Every structure is written in C-alpha cells, then in structure tokens.
Amino acid sequence: MNIIICGAGRVGFTIAKLLSEQNHSITVIDQSSEDIQKINDSLDVKGIVGKATYPAILEKADAVDADMIIAVTKNDEINMLICQIAYTVFNVPKKIARIRSQDYLNPKFSKVYNKENLPIDVIISPEIEIAKSIQRKLEAPGALDNVTFAQNKIRLLEILVNDNCKLINIPLNQITKKFPNLEANILGVIRNEKFSILKKNDIMKKDDKAYVVINSDQMSQTLIAFGHEEKIATKILIIGGGNIGFNLAKNIEQSFESARVKIIEKDKARAEFIANELNNSIIINGDGLDEDVLAEANIDEVETVLALTNDDEDNLMVSVLVEKFSKDKRTMALINKPNYSLLQSSLKIDDLIDPRMNTVSSILKHVHKGTIQTAYTLLNGEYEIIEAEIIETSELINKELKSANLPDSIRIGAVLREKEIIIPRSNFIFKEKDTVVFLAQRDQLSTVESMFRISSFWFLLMIRSSFFYIGLFALLISIFSFFNIIYSYYFNLYLNLDSYVYSLIISLFFGFLFTFKKKNGLKISIYEKIIIVLMGYLLLPLFIATPYYLSIYNISFLDAYFEAISGFTSTGFTVFNN
C-alpha cells in the first residue's frame, strides 16, 4: 500500500518503521527538518519537510496515488484539515486522524465526521485507548496485560511465571491432561529478553513472561493456575487528572460499582472540572509528590496506585514514594520515554504504561488487508496478535489445522464459532464465519493477509450465490407465462400460444436450476445485492424476449431483447412501427 504519514514524532516514527518493515511504501511529512533527517537516516522511507496541510506538499508526497493517509501531528485541527484536503483534492480512500481533545470526541458531535463535513474514516484517541487498556489491566490482577478479542469473548493475557505457578516445568502437551477444563493456549514466552513460540514439548520456566489466549469466562481460573490469586482492587488512587486519569475514573465508575476512586490533581481549575463531571470519585487538589497530600488520600488503605501525569519523572517518583508507605501495593506509571523502562525492576514498579504502542496498535489494525478486524502489537511490532474471520474464499476453510501448512511463526490461539470458544487441536477443522485469534511474526503478515483476503474469484462466487434470486425471478416469469397460455388458449390466439409455452419451459428450467441448491440461512452482502440488480437487468429480458422472437415474423433476437428491456425498464422505446 502507498501510505502517507503526517507527523514524525514518536508515534509517526514508530508507525513508519513498522509499516516499512511490512513492505508498504511510506512517505512521512513533518515541518521539523531534524525529525525528517532522523527518519531518512534510520528508515527506508521517503521524508518530506513541509506543512502537510499544503496541497503542494501532499502532491509532492504522491497523494494522488495514496491508499491511506495517517495524520498524527501534535495538533488536532491540523490532523482534521489534512484529512479534509486529502479527500477533497486527492480523493485518498482511507483517512486516519489522531484527535486528543475531548470536545471533538463528544458523541453529540459525531455527525461532524462524514464525507459531507469532515471526511475522517477512523479517529484514534490515545487517551481513551490508554484508559481502556489500564482498565483491562485492573480487571486482571496478576496479569501484566489483558487484551480482548472476538466481542470480548477471547482474551490475551501476559502473565509473569513465578514460583507459585502450577504449570511451571510441565511440557505444554501435558498441561491439557493435568488441567482438562482449562480453556487456554500458551502461544509463547519472553525469556532472556527474547520471544519464543513454544511447541508441544517445551516448558515454561521461572521469570518467563507468558502470552496466553483464553476463554474470557476462565480468566480467574487461568490466573490461579499460573499462581496469581490477587483480588481485583476496589480502592484505587490516580495521580493526575488529565484526559487519561479522567477517562479511567469515568470508566471505573460505570463498570466497577464497588470500586472507590480518588484522584490527586495539581491544577485547581482542572480538579474542579473533573469533580463536577464525575459522580462517585473523590478529587483532591494537590501535588502527588507531597507526602501530606498522599496521607490525606489515605494512601495506607489504597490497593492500586496509578501515576498518570504528563511528567515521566513525576510518575516514577510517585511510584517510588508509594513504595515507602507500603510494599504490597500495585503500582503503574505512565512513561513516554522508552529508556525509562530499564528502571522498572530497580524501582520496583509493577507496570510501565507505554502510550505510544497503544496508539500504534490502534492504527495498525486499520492497515491490514482482508478480514482482519483487530491487531495488537507485541515487542515493538516484532509480533502481532490478530483477529480475523474465515470467509468463503479463505485458504483455511474446511481444512484441518494439521493440514493447513502454517509457518512456524504463526500460531493459532483460539476460535469463536457462533457462541462457542474453541482451543483448536491438530484435528480442528476451520469453518466459514469462524473468528480466529492467532499470533504472527512480522515477516509473515503478508501471508496472513492472503489467508484471510477475499479471493480473486470473489466475483464469480458472489454471482453463484446471487443466481438463487435470479432463479426466483425466472420462476415468477414462468407463472406469468402460464397465465398467458391460458389467456391465449381461451381467446384462440394460437399464434402466441407456442411462444408462451417455450417461455414457460425455459423459465421453469432455469428457475429450478438456479434454486435447486439453496443455502440454509442464506444472507447476501451489499455487493451481491448490486450483482442481483445488474443480472436482473441483463438476464430477465432474455426470458421476456422469447415470446417476441418466436411469435413475430422476421424479427431478430437483438430487437426482441431490446423490446423486452424497454418493457422491463419502462423506458417507452420500441422497435416496432406499430
């Protein structure tokens, strides 16, 4: 794909890096010559210095041939304007914009984002995505990460393997025998800073970080099997009442009735604002680094502390300060600078939250082709957890897993079939409309897309499906032909009688032929509906033209067909003089 990325910050740089490694043609636009120079020196992409709102700059970036534009500059209004110009001037098919301001994201104003007003196809809000990510982590105490797939029915858990893990040192093919009711699939582990896809005879070791796909209903059982019996926190302290902290508190109020949330916010006006917007949360105006303020928030009783200010250093220091009060509290810190991740173990912080990768994952899922619906990025894009649907033209349909010839770097995790969650074994057979959640290495993404892409024969297959309805039309014509036979016989119009008999026979033959094999619960797509209309326009006059051709002397079939179309479409034109 030809993709233009507007904004060469950390998010823009990361997206450009990952997409270029997936063999997409990438152009990056930014006003900063230093950022563009860094991209030109580091990545195999085209960098352009200039304002992405200028049509001349977009033209220089070959916007006329672009398949997608991704606007991730620091300014919401500029991102919106970029999408507007990309659509109006260059008709770019897909437009993605990062928008931070909560006013722009208010559901009341969602009608603004359409082709007639602001033609933005996908809006990415980092603060909202991060708040959702943190909430999922709170829902899975003991897990380092918790990501939902397949309408929240399948989850990916990242779990630290410790001494309490009941699955440690057990070959994977033995785990099912020891825990027959556990619907979980261990895809791989991070061991010694490297990711490994585990095979059936491999084992997990202490200090591994395991990536496990599970049935969402068994999250508690899975965590217990891994030795984590922590309870969901009900007393939560948030340091920083910005968009992330505010959205998180709002989400908690809506989903955790028993939770009690306190927010410490330094800015008085902001503290008053969020106090008016939230219902049950307690807002404290003060500095999270002030021990007296922490004491006012009853830090001794708090179970989880979330440092979510805009300052990385403050977030780290708050987490260290909390450790002074109590060593058994769960701490999470928002970190924008990746180098600070090296301090996590020494500072004894339970979890560092990287907003960059949350945003990147949200954008990447819209880049993949085929029926891929969700993608979650691991290890800076080295691997992805992907959700995709099996369609009629998929390479996997009706194949056993062991016969699918999947590369070693692709691992199927779980399958949603109607309402049932299946952990597939070697004899599992893929069916149409299965939702598959699986792990794939970056260099296999093109293979993944082809597996779940609509085949080159999609048009013929849709025509085959649409023929059923054309057959119904033919049967309807046969009914009219039958009444015409009765009418002609009754009034002694034998000249037309034969032609109507032929029309009856032909329409009955094709009607029964096309409707003979009807799919149960047949549903048609918008493309099939279009095909039905077009085929109806072209094929139905063939049946209607038969009486004209057979009953009228010296008329060509082309003229009879034209006459049938004129009647079928009510155009009023005719080939006859009289």
Side-chain angles (χ1 to χ4, degrees):
M1 295 176 67
N2 296 321
I3 301 174
I4 299 174
I5 300 172
C6 304
R10 290 183 65 238
V11 171
F13 181 92
T14 304
I15 295 170
K17 179 177 182 294
L18 297 181
L19 293 181
S20 64
E21 289 170 348
Q22 296 174 17
N23 297 319
H24 294 286
S25 176
I26 306 299
T27 303
V28 182
I29 303 173
D30 197 284
Q31 288 182 261
S32 170
S33 58
E34 292 181 3
D35 288 343
I36 292 298
Q37 186 62 47
K38 177 183 175 183
I39 279 182
N40 285 333
D41 293 341
S42 307
L43 308 177
D44 183 19
V45 304
K46 179 182 178 181
I48 297 176
V49 179
K51 289 186 176 181
T53 52
Y54 288 175
I57 296 295
L58 290 176
E59 185 178 41
K60 187 177 179 181
D62 296 324
V64 68
D65 295 321
D67 300 297
M68 178 184 298
I69 190 164
I70 303 172
V72 287
T73 73
K74 297 178 181 179
N75 188 288
D76 289 351
E77 290 78 10
I78 288 178
N79 293 338
M80 294 178 186
L81 184 57
I82 289 170
C83 292
Q84 178 71 70
I85 294 172
Y87 174 75
T88 304
V89 180
F90 301 101
N91 198 27
V92 176
K94 194 160 193 176
K95 301 154 289 294
I96 299 176
R98 179 175 65 178
I99 298 179
R100 296 178 180 275
S101 173
Q102 300 303 296
D103 285 338
Y104 289 133
L105 300 171
N106 192 319
K108 291 193 301 184
F109 309 127
S110 60
K111 293 181 180 179
V112 171
Y113 307 107
N114 56 45
K115 290 183 179 180
E116 288 72 28
N117 299 305
L118 278 174
I120 303 175
D121 301 302
V122 179
I123 293 175
I124 303 296
S125 172
E127 286 80 5
I128 291 178
E129 295 298 327
I130 295 165
K132 291 178 180 178
S133 174
I134 297 172
Q135 183 183 358
R136 292 194 299 266
K137 292 183 180 185
L138 294 175
E139 293 172 352
L144 301 175
D145 208 350
N146 170 27
V147 186
T148 59
F149 296 92
Q151 304 161 21
N152 297 330
K153 294 179 180 178
I154 296 174
R155 290 177 185 263
L156 169 74
L157 298 181
E158 179 187 356
I159 308 174
L160 179 64
V161 178
N162 57 27
D163 291 326
N164 298 324
C165 181
K166 302 173 185 178
L167 311 177
I168 199 168
N169 295 325
I170 300 176
L172 294 193
N173 58 0
Q174 299 296 318
I175 290 177
T176 303
K177 297 177 182 178
K178 292 181 178 293
F179 299 88
N181 297 322
L182 189 62
E183 297 180 24
N185 198 347
I186 301 168
L187 300 182
V189 298
I190 295 178
R191 182 179 297 161
N192 299 325
E193 305 300 324
K194 292 184 179 180
F195 185 85
S196 300
I197 295 179
L198 297 186
K199 298 181 179 179
K200 61 182 181 180
N201 293 320
D202 291 333
I203 62 173
M204 290 185 296
K205 298 180 180 180
K206 184 177 180 292
D207 295 328
D208 283 350
K209 291 181 180 177
Y211 286 90
V212 190
V213 171
I214 67 166
N215 182 338
S216 292
D217 293 338
Q218 292 201 348
M219 184 164 64
S220 177
Q221 297 96 306
T222 304
L223 289 171
I224 291 173
F226 274 84
H228 291 279
E229 301 188 21
E230 298 92 331
K231 304 297 182 184
I232 294 179
T234 58
K235 297 177 180 178
I236 301 168
L237 176 62
I238 299 173
I239 312 295
N243 288 334
I244 297 175
F246 170 67
N247 280 295
L248 176 60
K250 186 164 61 173
N251 292 345
I252 292 174
E253 285 188 349
Q254 293 172 353
S255 57
F256 296 156
E257 292 184 3
S258 60
R260 295 294 175 263
V261 179
K262 295 180 181 179
I263 302 177
I264 297 177
E265 168 55 40
K266 186 185 297 186
D267 183 85
K268 185 177 180 180
R270 179 65 181 178
E272 291 176 350
F273 170 78
I274 59 178
N276 291 329
E277 293 294 320
L278 298 173
N279 298 320
N280 302 320
S281 302
I282 297 174
I283 315 301
I284 300 172
N285 179 216
D287 189 347
L289 290 171
D290 189 329
E291 293 189 22
D292 293 335
V293 174
L294 291 175
E296 182 184 348
N298 296 324
I299 188 67
D300 293 334
E301 300 178 359
V302 171
E303 297 165 341
T304 298
V305 179
L306 302 156
L308 305 177
T309 73
N310 293 324
D311 190 293
D312 286 1
E313 289 77 11
D314 281 359
N315 292 337
L316 293 174
M317 289 303 299
V318 165
S319 301
V320 172
L321 192 58
V322 167
E323 186 73 13
K324 173 185 173 182
F325 284 90
S326 176
K327 298 184 182 299
D328 60 354
K329 299 186 189 304
R330 185 182 184 186
T331 54
M332 300 186 196
L334 183 70
I335 299 298
N336 288 284
K337 299 173 184 176
N339 291 339
Y340 282 153
S341 62
L342 302 174
L343 302 175
Q344 181 177 357
S345 58
S346 60
L347 296 179
K348 298 180 180 179
I349 301 173
D350 295 309
D351 195 5
L352 294 181
I353 302 161
D354 184 356
R356 172 181 57 105
M357 292 314 298
N358 275 279
T359 305
V360 170
S361 289
S362 301
I363 291 174
L364 285 184
K365 68 182 180 182
H366 298 287
V367 176
H368 292 305
K369 300 176 182 177
T371 60
I372 294 175
Q373 301 170 20
T374 304
Y376 182 73
T377 305
L378 302 177
L379 304 174
N380 289 319
E382 182 65 27
Y383 289 86
E384 288 190 28
I385 306 293
I386 294 173
E387 172 191 337
E389 183 180 350
I390 300 288
I391 57 175
E392 188 176 14
T393 60
S394 171
E395 296 177 10
L396 295 177
I397 195 165
N398 297 326
K399 282 187 179 180
E400 285 190 337
L401 179 56
K402 61 185 177 184
S403 304
N405 296 321
L406 296 177
D408 292 337
S409 51
I410 295 178
R411 180 77 179 273
I412 305 296
V415 177
L416 171 63
R417 178 172 293 167
E418 295 180 350
K419 296 182 180 180
E420 181 185 6
I421 305 298
I422 303 171
I423 304 299
R425 307 304 174 195
S426 60
N427 59 349
F428 173 80
I429 299 176
F430 295 97
K431 298 293 184 183
E432 186 179 356
K433 297 186 179 179
D434 282 351
T435 299
V436 185
V437 177
F438 59 96
L439 171 77
Q441 196 169 10
R442 177 172 55 208
D443 57 8
Q444 294 294 334
L445 290 179
S446 58
T447 302
V448 168
E449 290 177 350
S450 65
M451 284 164 45
F452 293 94
R453 189 182 300 173
I454 296 175
S455 165
S456 57
F457 298 106
W458 68 274
F459 188 77
L460 295 177
L461 288 166
M462 285 196 294
I463 287 178
R464 185 189 69 182
S465 177
S466 305
F467 262 117
F468 172 78
Y469 294 93
I470 301 300
L472 291 181
F473 286 133
L475 291 176
L476 183 63
I477 290 174
S478 69
I479 294 174
F480 288 127
S481 297
F482 177 75
F483 285 122
N484 284 334
I485 292 172
I486 300 298
Y487 177 85
S488 300
Y489 182 79
Y490 183 79
F491 288 102
N492 298 321
L493 300 174
Y494 297 111
L495 179 64
N496 295 330
L497 187 60
D498 290 346
S499 64
Y500 289 128
V501 170
Y502 292 139
S503 181
L504 173 65
I505 294 172
I506 293 172
S507 57
L508 276 176
F509 173 78
F510 283 104
F512 284 119
L513 178 66
F514 293 165
T515 59
F516 180 69
K517 291 185 178 181
K518 177 184 180 299
K519 291 184 178 179
N520 292 328
L522 183 65
K523 294 182 180 179
I524 59 173
S525 67
I526 182 62
Y527 303 107
E528 290 170 319
K529 292 176 182 178
I530 294 172
I531 290 172
I532 290 170
V533 172
L534 292 176
M535 290 178 65
Y537 182 85
L538 295 174
L539 295 182
L540 292 182
L542 290 176
F543 300 113
I544 301 173
T546 305
Y548 291 120
Y549 179 67
L550 295 175
S551 63
I552 299 176
Y553 178 73
N554 199 24
I555 183 175
S556 68
F557 188 80
L558 183 62
D559 285 341
Y561 182 73
F562 179 82
E563 185 66 25
I565 287 181
S566 70
F568 180 63
T569 59
S570 301
T571 60
F573 290 103
T574 180
V575 297
F576 301 121
N577 293 324
N578 185 359

